[in-house]
Amino acid sequence: MFLKTSFTTVIVGVFVVYVLHTCWVMYGIVYTKPCDSPTGDNCITPFLAGDPKLQLSIYTALQPNAEGGHTLIYKEEKFDVNSKFERIVNVSLPKKTRNNGTLYALIFVHQAGVTPWQDPQQVHLVAQLTTYMVPKLPEISLISGEDQTQGQKEEAQQKRRDGNPTAGGGAGPTSKADHPVSHWRTRLTLNIVGDHFLFDREYLPSDVHRYLRVFQNGKKMVYLPLLFVDELSNRVKDLVEINSTSMELPLTISYDSISLGRLRFWIHMQDAVFSLQQFGFTEKDADEIKGIFVDTNLYFLALTFFVAAFHLLFDFLAFKNDISFWKQKKSMVGMSSKAVLWRCFSTIVIFLYLFDEQTSLLVLIPAGVGSIIEVWKVKKALKIRFFWKGGKPTFQYDKSDESERRTEEYDTLAMKYLSYILYPSCIGGAVYALIFLRYKSWYSWLINSLVNGVYAFGFLFMLPQLFVNYKLKSVAHLPWKAFTYKAFNTFIDDVFAFIITMPTSHRLACFRDDVVFLIYLYQKWLYPVDKTRVNEYGISYDEKPKGKTHKD
């Protein structure tokens, strides 16, 4: 029984177990068992239940323990835990911070009317207001050499200063493109659990334990407000480079109450992002993960998880079928080797483009693996044999038969018609970009021009197959099993196109694939399936045709 079980069935089974286990883990994160008896000895009651008068105070310091002094930058005297607000304050930067140093924020929630240093029942957290990152290279006009128009410079300076004439703008003269410099985090997001939740000592969650401060009030144990600093809201796009002239910089302080379940979920996600950074992920790589969670509904996050899980499953199944097919392939009947060659070229160009744009590793790594696979396909499609002869590498190409040449005729004809429009468009787009747009270097312009052409030529790689289907009035030659897995992933990519940061042209290419897939479905409905016809894999579904044979 087990010997007859297919590898695909095993993978699907493992996938189902993984999804169910993840659902159980997520349930354990968002659900916390409350204390059954409010008067029991095991219950920990909330301090906020007594409706105390609180104050929010935020200080800045060069050290997380406030050694060397601290400065008050904001206070909310009548602090209401359930009232959402957002404030913008200008923060003076010490000299050490301006000289590529750091700065910390000390957040206190304490009783109103006294300083946090005198309140034994205060809660506080420390957040870093600066981070180190390699500055982005400026984009210049390759013809005129200008990096920005005068209007763009004034706009950038005005945005950085935010109305403060003493604020600096732009990178300082001592900044180095390859050296990490201190950047200012323009947002500080705070949360406090607004639920009056009764904790049970025996079922106290470990993730909440490090944020929990308790004190004895008679026979009862009371926990102070659960204060949380949302690090996921700190995005790379909001960072401002600090230089020696940056005397003051704006800081947006946002506050909102949060449920206990959401707090626990946020703690786990924040720890996961921190772990990725410990494994070598850069600030920008981690920022792509943050973008999935910031300002997103928890239900939408759950949907995103299931979408990502199915994307992974279909990716693996399509990869498995694709590799198995090319590994066993002996003939190129029904397939164009020219299309395979150009698809390999396009995949490599797209990978170089994504690498030049510093795209997330979530997109870059699959693109790199895909490039390697396409190179291997070219070797199989062109029937290249590699061997050593006389101490030198030698390549040998096998010839195509008559059936393979007939298929390529249709493919060449379709590409000929399409090239009349696409070649001039791509050349014109490259010239337009050179004149009116700005790039980091000539290499960046070349890669951008090539990738724009490749995304346009993507139709050259897919539409000729539609043309061949039209000429043959049949779709029996298509590998529908592997094709269906890839088609499902195109629709899943549509979802990720709005979640993961990626170049606009790469995002539009996802929707382009949807249109072509719908046309394939229409052709499948329109043309009858002749299973006696040899498909593009060199396989006939009916090896022995029914009825009497006849000579042409």
Side-chain angles (χ1 to χ4, degrees), residues 416-435:
K416 177 182 177 182
Y417 292 150
L418 291 173
S419 63
Y420 291 154
I421 299 176
L422 293 176
Y423 285 141
S425 300
C426 292
I427 294 175
V431 174
Y432 174 86
L434 179 63
I435 297 175

Side-chain angles (χ1 to χ4, degrees), residues 452-467:
N452 288 332
V454 162
Y455 282 131
F457 289 160
F459 283 94
L460 290 177
F461 310 140
M462 293 181 288
L463 295 185
Q465 186 62 63
L466 299 176
F467 184 75

